[in-house]
Each structure stands twice: as C-alpha cells, then as structure tokens.
Amino acid sequence: MRTLLKTIYLLFAVGVGIGCCYSYIFFIFNIGNGGFSADNKPAAFGVAALALMGTIVFLLLGRLIYHSDAYIVPSIAIIFGAAFLTMPAVEVGNSVIGIYQTHRAKPYVESYMNELKTSFVEKIAPLEFDDQESKTETLRYWSNNGHDIWIKLRKDNETLTTEDLNNVINALPSAKYEVRVFIYYKSFEEYPNDQYSIDFTIRNNPNVQPSCRSDDFESNLCNFIEANK
C-alpha cells in the first residue's frame, strides 16, 4: 500500500511541475516589463506566491508518506523536469494533432479543389484560379488557420471590379468549412513587383462575423463584400 502511495505521490509531482510552468508563464506575461507583458503585478506575484507555497506544502506532505527525507531530491527533480518539459510536450502534442487533422481534411480539400476546377473557373473569368497553391497552402496551414479553405485567385495587371467579386461569391460552391478567398490584381505604381490584394471569408455559419481585408483603400472593395454577405 505504501509503495502505491509513493508512486502516486511522484506522479502528482509531475502535476506540480506543470502547474509551476504555467505559473511562471503567467508571471512573465503579467509583470509589466514591456513587450507582450501586461502590467498586472498583484496577480503576477500572487500566482507566483501560490505556486511557491503549493510546492512547499506538497514537499511537506511527502514526509507523511516516506517518513524520511529520501523523497525530496527525486521529487524536486521530477518537478523541475516536468516544468522544463511542459511546453515542448505541448508543442509536440499540438503538432501531432495538427498532422492528424490535416490528414483527415486532405480528401475533402482535394475534392473541393477539383470541384472548383470545373464550372467555377469559367464563371469567374477573367480571374484565374491557382488550384495548386490553394490546395498546398490550405493543407500547410490547416491547423493554424482555423480550418479554413484558402482560395487563391489572380487578375494580372487589371483593376478588380465589384462584378468580379460578385461572380466569385456567386460561383463558389457551398463548403463544409469556412472559405477564405485571396485575390491578387493590378501592381502598385510605386512598386511594380507588388500587387494589390483583398482577402475575405465566405461564411458557412450565419453566426460568424464576416471579415475582409484589402490594401486598395481607394476602391473600398470591402464595403461591397460586407454588403453582399
């Protein structure tokens, strides 16, 4: 029975280490030392004190189980080890989940892209659909972009019109996921190698707020997008 309690105690040491890691992160982001850190010192020091006191109490409880000081060194080693390895473990876990989610989404994304290569391409002319880049970037950033399908369109050296946008919106088939459209068109006068762009979402849920971004401030194309969603 005592062996089981000792094992459970050491397992809880892992939890204490994880808690210390997140307490440290909270402290760093609330100490108010510039950058991304908020100025919330009372909360920062409060959490730090709570983590310290919790660790001390946990180590004192170990004496009731071990009846000696032999547990202190391995317990502290486990706590520090868990604290240092928490974030790498979270990153690996997120990476594995992202790979799995991308693998599951790939057949649907490929099927949707193939569907776009038929009637959609004809309906959006003179815009051109870059199916390869659309598929590649959709899957590459699938776990980071909120599970959106990215559609890349181009209209080389020409002005984008509201008629073009209307054709795109009406021609896009419904999708299981939210669709994000990127359109690149005429070049900047000052920087011929750079093009104007607009990106907007086609919502698959009426409760989701529409979004639109454009660097063509004179045309105000986002106003048209917002009015026609």
Side-chain angles (χ1 to χ4, degrees):
M1 181 64 180
R2 188 168 295 279
T3 301
L4 177 61
L5 288 175
K6 291 179 180 180
T7 302
I8 293 174
Y9 179 83
L10 293 178
L11 289 176
F12 271 100
V14 175
V16 173
I18 294 172
C20 288
C21 174
Y22 282 105
S23 298
Y24 175 74
I25 293 173
F26 182 88
F27 179 83
I28 291 298
F29 281 94
N30 287 274
I31 195 61
N33 59 349
F36 294 101
S37 181
D39 189 4
N40 192 7
K41 290 183 177 65
F45 285 106
V47 169
L50 185 63
L52 179 61
M53 292 301 298
T55 303
I56 292 173
V57 170
F58 176 78
L59 292 174
L60 291 176
L61 288 175
R63 185 178 292 275
L64 299 176
I65 298 174
Y66 284 86
H67 299 297
S68 72
D69 295 332
Y71 71 96
I72 295 179
V73 173
S75 297
I76 293 177
I78 291 173
I79 290 172
F80 273 96
F84 280 112
L85 294 175
T86 293
M87 296 315 298
V90 169
E91 290 180 6
V92 170
N94 289 337
S95 178
V96 171
I97 293 173
I99 291 172
Y100 173 71
Q101 291 176 337
T102 301
H103 177 74
R104 289 196 60 187
K106 185 176 180 180
Y108 180 82
V109 171
E110 290 179 339
S111 174
Y112 189 79
M113 295 299 172
N114 289 333
E115 183 179 359
L116 293 179
K117 287 192 291 185
T118 56
S119 59
F120 173 75
V121 174
E122 299 175 358
K123 293 177 181 177
I124 66 170
L127 274 68
E128 298 177 354
F129 170 49
D130 190 333
D131 62 298
Q132 191 59 45
E133 184 179 353
S134 298
K135 181 175 68 175
T136 299
E137 295 206 1
T138 294
L139 295 175
R140 178 183 298 164
Y141 302 111
W142 184 257
S143 60
N144 298 324
N145 66 13
H147 299 168
D148 297 346
I149 296 177
W150 288 8
I151 307 299
K152 298 298 186 78
L153 307 175
R154 287 182 169 78
K155 188 179 183 183
D156 292 334
N157 300 321
E158 293 184 51
T159 301
L160 189 68
T161 66
T162 55
E163 182 181 358
D164 293 327
L165 294 174
N166 193 55
N167 289 340
V168 171
I169 294 172
N170 292 330
L172 273 172
S174 59
K176 180 179 177 181
Y177 303 97
E178 189 169 274
V179 176
R180 186 174 179 183
V181 180
F182 298 79
I183 305 178
Y184 305 91
Y185 49 107
K186 70 176 182 179
S187 300
F188 287 95
E189 293 183 4
E190 302 87 351
Y191 309 100
N193 293 328
D194 295 329
Q195 289 182 294
Y196 285 98
S197 66
I198 182 173
D199 74 86
F200 57 91
T201 55
I202 304 295
R203 298 173 297 169
N204 63 342
N205 184 341
N207 296 321
V208 176
Q209 287 294 109
S211 64
C212 179
R213 293 182 299 181
S214 173
D215 49 22
D216 189 353
F217 303 110
E218 293 182 3
S219 300
N220 293 322
L221 294 172
C222 279
N223 292 342
F224 175 83
I225 294 294
E226 298 294 341
N228 285 272
K229 285 188 178 182

